[in-house]
Amino acid sequence: MTITSLRGGAIDAIRSADLDRKTELAQESADRWFARRISLRSPLDAPLPERPGRPAKPVLVPPTQVEKRSLHTLPGRIALLHAIAHIELNAVDLALDIVARFASAHVPNSFFDGWMQVAYEEAKHFRMVRKRLNDLGADYGDLPAHDGLWQAAHSTRNALTARLAVVPLILEARGLDVTPSLQAKMRETGDLESAAVLDVIYNDEKGHVAVGAKWFRFLCAREKRDPARTFQELVRANFRSPLKAPFNDVARAEAGLTPSFYRALTSTSQS
Ligand SMILES: [Fe+2]
Ligand SMILES: [Fe+2]
């Protein structure tokens, strides 16, 4: 495959509606970047699209129309895996979008190392979850999905600190809060294969929040801004709903996201 540069590879992956090709392009671009075989940008790079390429299915619906079912039934487990596959697919495009959109930002090359590691792992997650759906007789696209993730990210397209606040430090950190109970429920139902997939995702996601926290703190330090206060300002300006407790404080702190960042933003907080 022709990859003009890291940004070019990321853009081609984002544009691709063929999900095998999208995830392959993401991983191949990461491999070539890590081997320092491609440059960061090239004049031949395609333009970054407004929306990522997607297949005709799943149909996108408002979040309220996505049905919730018990994990004790096969359709319930399929519905959960389908929702996770959709999140992982969005995560592939979002990590690549950070790389492509901010390829001209004044940041060290290790910034792109971090985000391409994230993109590589999100592509791996999507494929793992899709494979698990296939094993259960289903596929990605069988059920409707919602478009909230891309929309949440879209509002922060012009500012890197705001993007980092919303994508890794709110949306991915939320994954750390909810995944342990899903792992436990999957084990309870006896679906150990699906639980093992969630284990891989959970461990990798700690690293994604850590990449977000590291670069958020880096940018704040450079701009001489207090990171926790800056986070709160950006979240209030760019993210409509209050954050939902309970938080996985231990996993969040391990990733460098301490309670001083998010405590003041919960629905019960007065501040
Ligand atoms: Fe993921
Ligand atoms: Fe992630």
Side-chain angles (χ1 to χ4, degrees):
M1 52 183 74
T2 312
I3 295 177
T4 49
S5 70
L6 179 65
R7 182 179 62 183
I11 291 172
D12 288 348
I14 293 168
R15 294 168 75 103
S16 180
D18 174 333
L19 303 182
D20 289 330
R21 183 170 158 77
K22 182 191 288 287
T23 48
E24 271 163 29
L25 265 168
Q27 294 193 325
E28 182 65 25
S29 301
D31 285 339
R32 290 194 203 180
W33 172 252
F34 291 138
R36 299 296 185 251
R37 284 165 54 211
I38 44 176
S39 60
L40 180 57
R41 302 183 297 264
S42 156
L44 301 174
D45 298 343
L48 182 62
E50 272 288 294
R51 293 188 59 84
R54 290 299 167 80
K57 283 183 159 184
V59 175
L60 297 178
V61 296
T64 45
Q65 283 177 33
V66 178
E67 218 182 310
K68 288 219 169 94
R69 281 180 275 195
S70 162
L71 290 188
H72 288 278
T73 65
L74 179 61
R77 295 208 312 282
I78 288 173
L80 175 71
L81 289 166
H82 194 280
I84 294 172
H86 186 67
I87 289 169
E88 299 299 344
L89 181 61
N90 273 286
V92 175
D93 285 320
L94 286 170
L96 294 171
D97 188 82
I98 290 177
V99 169
R101 192 174 293 279
F102 299 102
S104 301
H106 197 63
V107 285
N109 271 356
S110 53
F111 173 87
F112 301 102
D113 295 348
W115 289 106
M116 287 314 290
Q117 183 68 35
V118 173
Y120 188 99
E121 289 172 354
E122 304 298 13
K124 177 183 80 177
H125 296 166
F126 175 73
R127 290 220 208 104
M128 285 172 64
V129 180
R130 186 175 204 178
K131 168 81 173 48
R132 187 64 198 137
L133 279 171
N134 295 160
D135 291 346
L136 295 173
D139 198 4
Y140 178 67
D142 286 356
L143 298 170
H146 72 77
D147 200 30
L149 277 181
W150 187 260
Q151 283 170 9
H154 190 69
S155 66
T156 60
R157 65 196 175 281
N158 296 317
L160 181 52
T161 45
R163 172 60 65 87
L164 296 181
V166 169
V167 174
L169 300 184
I170 291 189
L171 300 175
E172 295 197 279
R174 176 83 186 137
L176 298 183
D177 302 335
V178 300
T179 309
S181 72
L182 294 177
Q183 288 166 308
K185 276 184 211 151
M186 277 294 185
R187 286 213 170 78
E188 256 172 53
T189 68
D191 187 344
L192 301 183
E193 289 91 342
S194 297
V197 169
L198 293 178
D199 289 347
V200 172
I201 292 176
Y202 180 67
N203 283 315
D204 288 345
E205 293 301 334
K206 286 184 200 166
H208 301 180
V209 177
V211 169
K214 171 184 162 177
W215 290 107
F216 186 81
R217 287 176 185 276
F218 170 91
L219 293 170
C220 286
R222 199 168 68 179
E223 293 164 15
K224 299 193 168 46
R225 298 164 80 183
D226 175 72
R229 201 178 318 141
T230 304
F231 177 75
Q232 287 151 23
E233 286 165 10
L234 290 170
V235 171
R236 289 197 179 103
N238 294 288
F239 195 74
R240 259 164 268 151
S241 39
L243 306 191
K244 277 183 220 146
F247 300 105
N248 186 343
D249 290 323
V250 174
R252 283 167 168 257
E254 278 172 7
L257 185 59
T258 44
S260 64
F261 276 70
Y262 54 84
R263 277 281 174 239
L265 296 166
T266 53
S267 42
T268 49
S269 171
Q270 299 303 304
S271 64

